[in-house]
Amino acid sequence: WKLFGYNYVKSQLKPALKNLDEVKDYFRDVYKYEFKPVRADGTKKTLDDALKEIAGIEIRDTYPNYSMIPTFVQNVRKFPLLGNFVAFQSEMYRNSFQILKRGQRMMRSENPYVRQIGARKLIGFGTTVFVAPAVVLDTAKTVTGITDEMYQAYKDSFAADYEKAKDLVPISKQDPKTKAWKANDLGTLIPYAPLMEPFKAAMQTLAEGKNTD
């Protein structure tokens, strides 16, 4: 999948960067450092070499890459009670930051093709993180007949602490006798779910109100 992403990025860049001068502008605008047109052996890079270099940088910084994990996270994942999948979550935070930073910088470029790529990047990220989970959750509620009141009541009174910040997607209708219904954690299907969990946990705490027990 990284190979597919690498080739896709190159195909995006070909109509946007047609010469090495535009490549230099791209590096200044997006990466904030100068493009090096000469290899270590003294030979000059071609436009194709430059596009490959940019594609490699994009895949390194916006796809999960476990060689980029900070030392602190590498040490944390050695502990059984603390290290459950922290490497992947760490990469999701790093990738998200890079996607947002690159997208914003691309949107400020004078190159219209680069601005278009930046807009697509930001729209795609926003759709994945914010729009898609809400659509899936609302659709599941409609299909199963689980109302917002029933959903919130479960979270307020019965959900485990680790479930309160999760998007629990109903997968069955409410049993008429037991009043029970089944749900799956949508976060297991959406890689960027950890980004929203702190915010959702705070909103859930506010919704529950003061603990009067």
Side-chain angles (χ1 to χ4, degrees):
W1 63 286
K2 287 186 179 180
L3 179 60
F4 172 82
Y6 174 80
N7 289 323
Y8 177 74
V9 171
K10 283 200 302 179
S11 69
Q12 277 188 312
L13 294 171
K14 283 183 179 179
L17 307 177
K18 298 178 181 178
N19 54 63
L20 289 178
D21 287 334
E22 291 183 345
V23 169
K24 292 177 182 178
D25 290 338
Y26 184 90
F27 268 77
R28 293 191 195 102
D29 293 341
V30 179
Y31 301 142
K32 300 301 180 183
Y33 61 84
E34 295 292 328
F35 170 68
K36 296 180 180 179
V38 180
R39 299 189 186 89
D41 61 3
T43 58
K44 293 184 178 180
K45 296 177 183 177
T46 65
L47 177 59
D48 188 59
D49 292 331
L51 296 180
K52 289 179 180 178
E53 183 175 339
I54 294 174
I57 293 172
E58 292 296 320
I59 298 306
R60 181 196 66 191
D61 290 344
T62 61
Y63 280 56
N65 186 345
Y66 295 111
S67 64
M68 303 290 291
I69 297 172
T71 303
F72 172 75
V73 177
Q74 292 179 14
N75 292 331
V76 167
R77 67 178 180 174
K78 295 177 183 179
F79 294 90
L81 298 179
L82 300 176
N84 185 23
F85 226 43
V86 293
F88 180 78
Q89 293 194 17
S90 171
E91 279 300 278
M92 287 300 98
Y93 283 110
R94 185 182 71 87
N95 295 157
S96 299
F97 173 76
Q98 292 292 341
I99 290 170
L100 292 172
K101 182 177 72 173
R102 301 264 170 88
Q104 291 174 4
R105 288 178 177 177
M106 286 178 173
M107 290 290 288
R108 293 195 292 267
S109 172
E110 295 182 358
N111 188 320
Y113 288 100
V114 173
R115 289 200 302 271
Q116 187 180 75
I117 295 172
R120 289 177 180 174
K121 189 183 293 290
L122 294 176
I123 291 171
F125 181 79
T127 300
T128 302
V129 175
F130 302 106
V131 179
V135 171
V136 171
L137 184 57
D138 286 345
T139 301
K141 288 178 181 178
T142 301
V143 171
T144 60
I146 303 301
T147 65
D148 291 338
E149 291 75 16
M150 294 163 60
Y151 182 84
Q152 193 60 45
Y154 171 77
K155 280 201 162 187
D156 291 345
S157 303
F158 301 104
D161 289 340
Y162 61 84
E163 290 182 321
K164 292 185 181 296
K166 306 286 188 179
D167 283 326
L168 303 176
V169 180
I171 59 172
S172 72
K173 295 184 178 181
Q174 187 180 50
D175 187 289
K177 293 183 179 179
T178 64
K179 305 299 181 182
W181 48 277
K182 297 179 181 180
N184 276 345
D185 178 9
L186 185 60
T188 59
L189 302 176
I190 298 180
Y192 296 103
L195 299 176
M196 296 299 296
E197 286 181 5
F199 173 77
K200 290 178 179 178
M203 292 299 99
Q204 177 61 30
T205 301
L206 291 175
E208 290 179 4
K210 185 178 180 180
N211 186 354
T212 57
D213 293 339

